[in-house]
Amino acid sequence: GFAHMNGRSVGIVANQPNVLAGVLDSNASRKAARFIRFCDAFNIPIVSLIDVPGFLCGTQQEYSGIINHGAKLLYAYGEATVPKVAVTLRKSYGGAYITMSCKQMRSDINYAWPTAQIAVLGASGATEVLHGRALKEITDADEKAKFIAEKEKEYNDQFANPYNAAKYGYIDDVIEPRNTRFRVIRALESLQTKR
């Protein structure tokens, strides 16, 4: 949708975690791609508010062309020449991280909240993949739950936090939630003369 920030129109692209946990499906990808191209055509800056666990899986999505529509969204972000500011609010995993205006896709300024998680997988999925053999060997349910909790915390601390992403240049700054509007406005002002 559209919003005003400091008297200027901006296009807002955001994930809705109350609907399908915020995943990108065929319809959402197509809708967002059209909106981004519209904003680009009329020189309207794009602000992305990211809370995405990934793409929706399943045969229904495959039949409806999830790969094709996901690629449209990826290209729309990549080809847009207007100022692009992204804020990771909660989670950004895997291919959806790349698709939703990441730094590698020529986003101008990327922020993240301190509680954001940016990684290839969520902690529970990563624990199952990385420690699958060890989990199979544990028979006691309480011991297994303790092991999973420990490994998920270890994964979040080492890999899925915004400070790790900032260390590698994927995030420009980790910001407090209360400063989000101010920092986005300041970023848009600095990008006002972008060509």
Side-chain angles (χ1 to χ4, degrees), residues 83-164:
K84 293 177 280 191
V85 178
V87 182
T88 302
L89 307 176
R90 214 166 53 132
K91 59 190 173 299
S92 187
Y93 296 140
Y97 159 76
I98 295 166
T99 304
M100 288 296 297
S101 193
C102 70
K103 200 70 168 170
Q104 295 84 345
M105 290 303 298
R106 300 189 335 204
S107 179
D108 296 306
I109 298 176
N110 287 55
Y111 296 126
W113 285 359
T115 55
Q117 296 180 340
I118 301 165
V120 174
L121 283 171
S124 61
T127 300
E128 289 177 23
V129 171
L130 296 173
H131 304 287
R133 287 187 181 145
L135 284 171
K136 286 180 184 176
E137 293 173 5
I138 300 172
T139 55
D140 183 42
D142 291 335
E143 190 178 326
K144 187 179 249 185
K146 184 180 175 185
F147 179 81
I148 289 171
E150 178 185 305
K151 293 302 177 184
E152 284 180 2
K153 183 182 181 330
E154 181 181 309
Y155 181 82
N156 284 330
D157 292 343
Q158 290 183 1
F159 302 110
N161 63 65
Y163 302 103
N164 197 39

Side-chain angles (χ1 to χ4, degrees), residues 8 34 58 66 69 76-77 114 124 133 154 163 181:
R8 295 187 65 214
R34 272 197 325 253
I66 184 68
H69 296 302
Y77 267 122
S124 61
R133 287 187 181 145
E154 181 181 309
Y163 302 103
R181 185 176 178 85

